Amino acid sequence: MLIVPEREIADLMTREAAFDAVEKVFAAMASGDAYNFPVVREAIGHEDALYGFKGGFDRAGLTLGLKAGGYWPNNLEKRGLINHQSTVFLFDPDTGKASAMVGGNLLTALRTAAASSVSIKHLAREDAKVIGMIGAGHQAKFQLRAALEQRDFEKVIGWNLHPEMLPNLQEVADEAGVPFEVVELDGMVEADVIISITSSFDAILGADQVSPGTHIACMGTDTKGKQEVDPQLLVKADVFTDEVAQSISIGEAQHAVAQGLIVETDIAQIGAVINGTNPGRISDDQITLFDGTGVGLQDLAVAAAVVDLAVEKGIAIEVDF
Ligand code: NAD
């Protein structure tokens, strides 16, 4: 069995490798070659922790495994550790033997950013120039950094409930040499691409705050009850997702579906666009919305990629198991 510790991931994994892995696995999901197992998420009654597993099997990439982990809210204050903790375990699909254990913390951020980037590549207008960010936390930086590579963006605009976090976006925009401006939510009409990545439980972005032709990636809503946009926006938009079952239960579409505004069959898999079986964007004034709920197969795909890179560089730790 191979071990790739968390400390090695930053030097091994690239945004490009994460993008390729996620794009491939989304395609495999849409063609029926890969599927996710039901998600387990439990409040364990200890340290206020939320713990769970996300797993799946990709028959095309021969990747079988799970990500185990969750959220320990007291970690930082009590122990100086980050609150989100996860580890990916891979298994040999031919034998069931454990094949790898990989640090999952940085990989989670990279695979989540890769998902919105894949949606931008396949659904945003080619001439998109302004990217709008709603959210300015840990994930927002990864999201923006990856998204800026997908189009020739000339400006970043940002809004966040907690304005003191906005310098996070400024930092990434500066890195890329793109001007950054703080806006009110009404200012989002200027954006050609919008990413929302917050922990909100109420709609932030209104349906009238999005211009025709915009692509929106809703990335924060990954749990029942969370919400980032007005459900009417999902009526106005063509809706795509990583996995329809998650989109309607824990993703942004849960609200529009619960209110009877849209139905499950209104939502398409992004993998179908990648595979060419769904046309995706068909006009310049269409609004497209990607509901990125985060699936276990994304974690397995990036973990498998990092194991390959670690083996190539002679960094993977081999243990007899
Ligand atoms: P973070 O704590 O670093 O940042 C939280 C962000 O949400 C900040 O911008 C904060 O201002 C904003 N926020 C907090 N409460 C809010 C409220 N009530 N209304 C509006 N905004 C609010 O968190 P993070 O690590 O950046 O994660 C952001 C979100 O992304 C979380 O909800 C997390 O569960 C989700 N997430 C999704 C995926 C996925 O695959 N879809 C993966 C990882 C994380």
Side-chain angles (χ1 to χ4, degrees):
M1 172 168 147
L2 300 170
I3 298 176
V4 186
E6 185 67 43
R7 64 170 184 273
E8 304 289 0
I9 307 290
D11 287 337
L12 282 172
M13 196 61 181
T14 61
R15 284 193 293 283
E16 294 73 23
F19 184 99
D20 287 348
V22 168
E23 188 181 46
K24 271 201 191 83
V25 84
F26 282 168
M29 282 165 60
S31 59
D33 283 327
Y35 71 108
N36 292 287
F37 306 153
V39 175
V40 172
R41 197 164 163 86
E42 295 284 326
I44 58 171
H46 178 74
E47 288 287 351
D48 297 324
L50 279 175
Y51 172 71
F53 323 115
K54 278 185 166 186
F57 178 43
D58 176 359
R59 213 174 284 115
L62 285 182
T63 314
L64 173 69
L66 59 92
K67 178 169 83 169
Y71 186 66
W72 274 258
N74 307 321
N75 270 3
L76 191 61
E77 218 164 280
K78 278 194 183 170
R79 301 181 177 88
L81 294 172
I82 62 170
N83 293 348
H84 288 276
Q85 289 292 334
S86 63
T87 307
V88 180
F89 297 88
L90 299 176
F91 297 84
D92 179 343
D94 295 334
T95 63
K97 265 182 75 81
S99 57
M101 179 168 104
V102 184
N105 296 347
L106 178 58
L107 284 184
T108 298
L110 290 170
R111 66 79 146 145
T112 306
S116 62
S117 278
V118 166
S119 84
I120 293 167
K121 173 181 166 186
H122 291 280
L123 293 171
R125 291 194 335 269
E126 285 300 330
D127 65 349
K129 294 286 178 240
V130 178
I131 180 161
M133 294 295 300
I134 296 175
H138 176 72
Q139 295 281 341
K141 293 177 73 173
F142 287 88
Q143 291 283 326
L144 180 56
R145 206 172 272 130
L148 284 170
E149 291 168 347
Q150 292 307 316
R151 293 289 185 271
D152 292 326
F153 289 110
E154 292 174 355
K155 187 175 173 185
V156 180
I157 58 177
W159 178 92
N160 196 47
L161 182 68
H162 307 102
E164 68 278 10
M165 296 170 92
L166 285 163
N168 280 335
L169 300 179
Q170 174 90 57
E171 185 189 318
V172 177
D174 287 351
E175 252 174 51
V178 180
F180 173 66
E181 192 185 307
V182 176
V183 294
E184 296 301 324
L185 284 168
D186 280 339
M188 282 293 156
V189 289
E190 196 193 341
D192 304 305
V193 170
I194 299 173
I195 298 176
S196 60
I197 180 80
T198 72
S199 315
S200 177
F201 278 80
D202 297 297
I204 300 169
L205 188 68
D208 296 336
Q209 290 167 327
V210 177
S211 293
T214 302
H215 172 65
I216 311 151
C218 297
M219 303 303 297
T221 301
D222 57 357
T223 303
K224 200 168 169 53
K226 281 190 184 171
Q227 185 173 18
E228 297 191 299
V229 304
D230 180 347
Q232 289 294 344
L233 192 51
L234 284 90
V235 178
K236 273 176 108 169
D238 286 292
V239 183
F240 300 84
T241 188
D242 40 23
E243 189 185 85
V244 176
Q246 284 202 177
S247 172
I248 63 171
S249 56
I250 60 169
E252 195 61 41
Q254 63 180 291
H255 307 286
V257 170
Q259 292 170 28
L261 297 172
I262 63 168
V263 292
E264 186 173 338
T265 48
D266 292 329
I267 306 170
Q269 274 186 296
I270 186 81
V273 182
I274 299 167
N275 288 338
T277 53
N278 180 304
R281 172 173 292 281
I282 47 177
S283 83
D284 275 354
D285 52 12
Q286 177 188 11
I287 296 176
T288 52
L289 185 149
F290 175 65
D291 184 4
T293 64
V295 293
L297 281 169
Q298 273 170 266
D299 297 299
L300 307 189
V302 290
V306 99
V307 170
D308 288 346
L309 290 165
V311 169
E312 227 171 75
K313 295 199 169 166
I315 288 171
I317 301 164
E318 197 164 354
V319 291
D320 196 11
F321 182 73

